[in-house]
């Protein structure tokens, strides 16, 4: 397989490196020293810089002011962002924007996407459900206007056109641990119809019936429990196209793998630098066999994470067929990303010794972010189960 990137993709990497070169991992208070969330808002300065360099519109079509690149380009930029622990909703906002362009109402896309590309509109998505363990679409119900409790007479027939008389939907339920929700202008809320169909509602954060309760992530970032009580949304604000949620979930998961790779690469580089300078018995500890072997194992983890990431991103970008659906490649990538990033930071802490726990040194931040990324959209065990189901449904050979 040829993993050579195009000139446009490489240009996106260079632009991202230029932007992130001025970002320090200590830009916000330490999660180890700060009770509650480390900050009330995203890094607005960085967000505007990403907009100024056209990185927020990277994957939007030229019709909406974007560069027309693919998910591979987005993953390349996400990889760079994770190296500096960039506190911006780059993955969520870009992924939702791509789903709107691919599956959503054209008039809504024309209204929202140019603003998203300019950084004037922030999008996020509730993909964790009520608990993070059950299917996310089951946490919120969507019923057409005029139905009583989503089970009125004829509900199965009236939901087929996406609305009740074209008027819209009513949402009830909870999505937990929604990232960057307090800063977002619209939240993509996953829901299910009476017939069990998943739909994606683009709900303004300030819409009547929407309430946000603060939650705090493992890395100290502010999350939200988004509660919806009889929230009315227009028909054009709901994406009910077949395959939309599966595609968006795969893109979000693959983007999370890109974050894991970038973070792991930065942590291994920090470890190499430290062990190359730290001496015992008159020699750098990096020259000791036990240290070198552990670092080499983690390098192998990173290369496996990289290969499986680009395989998954390529399947999503090209819609190329294979012996398994693209979800199989995404599951493999997340299995490696979740386990690999955990092993990388654990080894880094071990090889740094007590220095790794010093809150004046950024490694503890990377450890907290790695744990958050490991569990985001499911740990390795969850994706191993999903992969097993796919293999059972699509026997190989």
């Amino acid at each position: 397989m040829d993993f050579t990137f195009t000139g446009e993709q490489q240009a996106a990497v260079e632009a991202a490196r230029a932007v992130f070169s001025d970002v320090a991992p200590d830009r916000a208070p330490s999660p180890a020293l700060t009770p509650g969330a480390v900050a009330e808002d995203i890094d607005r300065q960085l967000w505007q810089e990403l907009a100024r360099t056209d990185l927020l519109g990277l994957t939007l079509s030229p019709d909406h002011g974007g560069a027309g690149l693919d998910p591979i380009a987005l993953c390349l930029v996400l990889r760079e962002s994770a190296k500096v622990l960039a506190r911006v909703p780059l993955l969520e906002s870009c992924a939702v924007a791509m789903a709107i362009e691919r599956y959503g109402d054209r008039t809504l896309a024309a209204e929202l996407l140019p603003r998203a590309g300019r950084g004037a509109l922030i999008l996020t998505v509730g993909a964790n459900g009520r608990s993070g363990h059950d299917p996310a679409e089951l946490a919120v119900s969507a019923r057409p206007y005029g139905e009583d409790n989503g089970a009125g007479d004829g509900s199965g027939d009236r939901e087929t056109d996406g609305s009740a008389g074209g008027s819209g939907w009513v949402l009830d339920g909870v999505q937990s641990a929604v990232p960057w929700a307090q800063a977002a202008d619209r939240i993509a809320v996953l829901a299910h119809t009476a017939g069990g169909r998943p739909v994606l509602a683009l709900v303004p954060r300030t819409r009547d019936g929407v309430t946000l309760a603060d939650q705090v992530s493992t890395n100290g970032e502010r999350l939200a429990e988004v509660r919806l009580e009889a929230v009315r949304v227009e028909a054009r604000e709901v994406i009910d196209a077949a395959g939309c949620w599966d595609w968006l979930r795969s893109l979000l998961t693959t983007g999370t793998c890109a974050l894991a790779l970038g973070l792991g690469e930065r942590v291994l580089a920090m470890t190499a630098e430290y062990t190359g300078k730290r001496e015992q018995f008159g020699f750098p500890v990096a020259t000791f066999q036990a240290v070198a072997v552990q670092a080499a194992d983690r390098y192998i983890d990173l290369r496996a994470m990289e290969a499986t990431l680009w395989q998954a991103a390529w399947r999503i970008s090209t819609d190329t067929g294979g012996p398994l659906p693209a979800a199989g490649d995404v599951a493999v990538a997340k299995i490696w990303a979740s386990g690999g990033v955990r092993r990388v930071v654990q080894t880094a802490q071990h090889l740094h010794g007590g220095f790794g726990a010093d809150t004046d040194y950024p490694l503890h931040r990377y450890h907290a972010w790695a744990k958050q990324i490991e569990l985001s959209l499911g740990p390795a065990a969850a994706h191993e189960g999903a992969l097993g189901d796919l293999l059972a449904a699509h026997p190989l050979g």
Side-chain angles (χ1 to χ4, degrees):
M1 184 173 297
D2 183 5
F3 283 143
T4 303
F5 300 114
T6 66
E8 291 84 357
Q9 291 167 344
Q10 291 171 341
V13 173
E14 293 304 316
R17 286 175 179 168
V19 171
F20 295 129
S21 64
D22 293 330
V23 179
D26 292 336
R27 202 137 146 171
S30 167
L33 302 175
T34 309
V38 295
E40 292 296 310
D41 198 8
I42 66 172
D43 188 336
R44 293 283 176 177
Q45 179 183 346
L46 177 57
W47 188 251
Q48 292 306 316
E49 188 64 17
L50 290 168
R52 187 189 66 79
T53 52
D54 297 325
L55 288 172
L56 296 183
L58 193 69
T59 55
L60 298 178
S61 72
D63 292 341
H64 297 124
L69 299 187
D70 56 16
I72 294 175
L74 175 60
C75 288
L76 284 166
V77 175
L78 289 168
R79 179 186 189 177
E80 298 303 316
S81 76
K83 294 177 182 179
V84 297
L85 307 183
R87 300 185 52 262
V88 287
L90 183 61
L91 169 58
E92 294 81 8
S93 196
C94 290
V96 174
M98 292 177 71
I100 294 172
E101 184 167 63
R102 186 181 176 104
Y103 295 100
D105 178 84
R106 291 186 178 181
T107 60
L108 187 66
E111 173 188 333
L112 299 182
L113 298 187
R115 294 172 58 206
R118 296 194 305 270
L121 180 83
I122 296 176
L123 303 167
T124 190
V125 56
N128 292 309
R130 184 180 293 270
S131 65
H133 298 288
D134 299 322
E137 62 270 26
L138 300 183
V140 177
S141 65
R143 67 183 190 277
Y145 285 173
E147 286 194 5
D148 54 342
N149 299 321
D153 294 339
S155 62
D157 295 330
R158 290 191 302 186
E159 75 169 25
T160 56
D161 68 351
S163 66
S167 56
W169 298 86
V170 178
L171 306 177
D172 289 281
V174 175
Q175 285 286 351
S176 185
V178 179
W180 319 107
Q182 293 87 346
D185 298 288
R186 286 194 181 238
I187 303 170
V189 175
L190 188 63
H192 68 279
T193 67
R197 221 163 18 99
V199 296
L200 195 69
L202 301 164
V203 183
R205 174 174 50 82
T206 56
R207 182 68 54 86
D208 288 345
V210 176
T211 56
L212 275 60
D214 280 358
Q215 296 175 318
V216 180
S217 66
T218 303
N219 60 356
E221 293 299 330
R222 196 177 178 204
L223 304 177
E225 179 189 77
V226 179
R227 188 172 296 275
L228 304 104
E229 297 182 4
V231 175
R232 295 170 67 112
V233 290
E234 300 175 18
R236 73 188 189 110
E237 295 177 310
V238 174
I239 303 175
D240 62 352
C244 175
W245 168 233
D246 289 337
W247 185 85
L248 177 56
R249 177 173 52 196
S250 291
L251 178 56
L252 290 167
T253 305
T254 304
T256 303
C257 296
L259 294 173
L261 177 62
L263 187 150
E265 289 175 329
R266 178 64 187 127
V267 167
L268 190 60
M270 292 167 61
T271 305
E273 181 180 6
Y274 176 79
T275 57
K277 295 178 179 178
R278 177 76 167 89
E279 291 189 359
Q280 284 186 354
F281 311 111
F283 296 94
V285 296
T287 63
F288 298 167
Q289 185 178 31
V291 173
V293 167
Q294 291 182 70
D297 285 343
R298 300 297 77 82
Y299 177 82
I300 292 170
D301 275 333
L302 290 173
R303 298 290 69 81
M305 291 164 64
E306 183 176 22
T308 54
L309 163 65
W310 299 131
Q311 170 73 10
W314 174 70
R315 289 290 304 274
I316 296 173
S317 298
T318 61
D319 293 325
T320 302
L324 288 178
D329 292 289
V330 173
V332 171
K334 190 57 165 69
I335 290 166
W336 272 105
S338 291
V341 77
R342 171 174 45 80
R343 290 189 293 269
V344 167
V345 294
Q346 287 176 343
T347 297
Q349 287 283 10
H350 176 61
L351 297 182
H352 275 81
F355 192 61
D358 188 341
T359 54
D360 290 330
Y361 185 66
L363 182 59
H364 74 286
R365 289 177 176 272
Y366 285 94
H367 202 149
W369 277 69
K371 179 56 67 175
Q372 179 67 24
I373 291 171
E374 176 192 350
L375 301 177
S376 293
L377 297 168
H383 290 275
E384 287 166 356
L387 181 61
D389 292 340
L390 285 171
L391 288 169
H394 302 83
L396 303 179

